[in-house]
Amino acid sequence: GAGVSQSPSNKVTEKGKDVELRCDPISGHTALYWYRQSLGQGLEFLIYFQGNSAPDKSGLPSDRFSAERTGGSVSTLTIQRTQQEDSAVYLCASSLWELAGGPNEQYFGPGTRLTVT
Amino acid sequence: DAKTTQPNSMESNEEEPVHLPCNHSTISGTDYIHWYRQLPSQGPEYVIHGLTSNVNNRMASLAIAEDRKSSTLILHRATLRDAAVYYCIPYLYNFNKFYFGSGTKLNVKP
């Protein structure tokens, strides 16, 4: 079946512009996750959704970052007034969710490489 | 505040077992511990997750201490392909939060 897809695969934008990154999870996966990985750095957890709600937004780097998920499916990560330090690969993942235990195995998308010039 | 700590790096010889430690104070009996890894120039991939005692799958084993303050990911026979950054990630169910470790970079020597 189809895996997690992300679009665009590459995005170059000018400093100060807004960008939207899209994630299409695996069908039936109730949980969706966003990560960021700057060049040569480790994974940085941004936010996750359980259904359409985001129980923990504390990983978002600043108030320029926001994310939403509608219909329990597609999610968009929006970065307003982009800065050069926002340049990174943005990864999305999705998983099933167990009522008793929480997240199951996460499946990752190919990522969106964002370059802010 | 809960905190997850891992060594920055470890080294292993090929064909030998590797024990990757993780300290995660203040997790409760309902909190699963997840492990993921990221091979060089690749996306992250799931390794294993578990709640209590020992868990095994085709990739690895997960040993969780009885007091649940630490866990160990065990690769039974390291191969060169196991060279990666390994992330320990407890999920605190009652707080709806993930507490990421900073990852251990495993180097496997031939």
Side-chain angles (χ1 to χ4, degrees):
Chain A
V4 177
S5 60
Q6 293 185 245
S7 60
S9 54
N10 274 288
K11 176 73 177 178
V12 180
T13 190
E14 290 180 356
K15 178 181 171 181
K17 295 285 177 78
D18 298 352
V19 294
E20 270 192 8
L21 311 181
R22 176 186 169 109
C23 174
D24 281 84
I26 292 172
S27 177
H29 279 190
T30 54
L32 185 148
Y33 313 79
W34 283 99
Y35 298 84
R36 177 169 78 169
Q37 190 161 35
S38 302
L39 188 63
Q41 302 299 307
L43 275 179
E44 180 183 4
F45 180 71
L46 299 180
I47 190 171
Y48 81 100
F49 290 88
Q50 175 41 358
N52 291 333
S53 67
D56 179 20
K57 299 181 182 180
S58 62
L60 294 175
S62 74
D63 58 8
R64 296 186 295 104
F65 287 73
S66 63
E68 66 173 14
R69 189 181 187 196
T70 54
S73 181
V74 171
S75 175
T76 54
L77 177 70
T78 301
I79 309 172
Q80 295 179 309
R81 306 180 301 282
T82 52
Q83 303 294 312
Q84 287 187 326
E85 62 262 29
D86 300 334
S87 296
V89 175
Y90 289 81
L91 291 162
C92 175
S94 70
S95 77
L96 296 171
W97 191 276
E98 298 177 17
L99 283 175
N104 213 314
E105 176 180 352
Q106 295 181 36
Y107 295 82
F108 285 80
T112 293
R113 183 175 297 278
L114 175 67
T115 304
V116 182
T117 61
Chain B
D1 194 19
K3 188 172 173 63
T4 302
T5 56
Q6 301 178 252
N8 287 335
S9 63
M10 289 183 66
E11 201 163 74
S12 169
N13 294 317
E14 197 177 11
E15 303 290 313
E16 290 186 357
V18 182
H19 291 230
L20 296 163
C22 177
N23 290 322
H24 34 71
S25 58
T26 71
I27 71 167
S28 76
T30 57
D31 298 333
Y32 278 75
I33 298 149
H34 301 251
W35 284 81
Y36 283 78
R37 73 180 185 180
Q38 188 170 23
L39 279 63
S41 302
Q42 296 193 31
E45 63 179 8
Y46 170 82
V47 178
I48 199 167
H49 75 289
L51 180 65
T52 59
S53 65
N54 295 339
V55 182
N56 301 289
N57 66 19
R58 62 177 178 79
M59 287 182 72
S61 295
L62 176 59
I64 302 170
E66 204 170 315
D67 64 6
R68 298 179 56 70
K69 293 187 183 302
S70 66
S71 62
T72 302
L73 179 70
I74 302 165
L75 306 179
H76 295 286
R77 287 179 66 212
T79 68
L80 296 178
R81 194 193 172 275
D82 291 322
V85 178
Y86 288 78
Y87 294 94
C88 171
I89 313 164
Y91 174 72
L92 272 62
Y93 188 85
N94 291 330
F95 294 91
N96 298 312
K97 284 180 77 76
F98 293 89
Y99 283 93
F100 271 70
S102 55
T104 296
K105 184 173 183 179
L106 175 66
N107 181 38
V108 180
K109 296 186 295 183

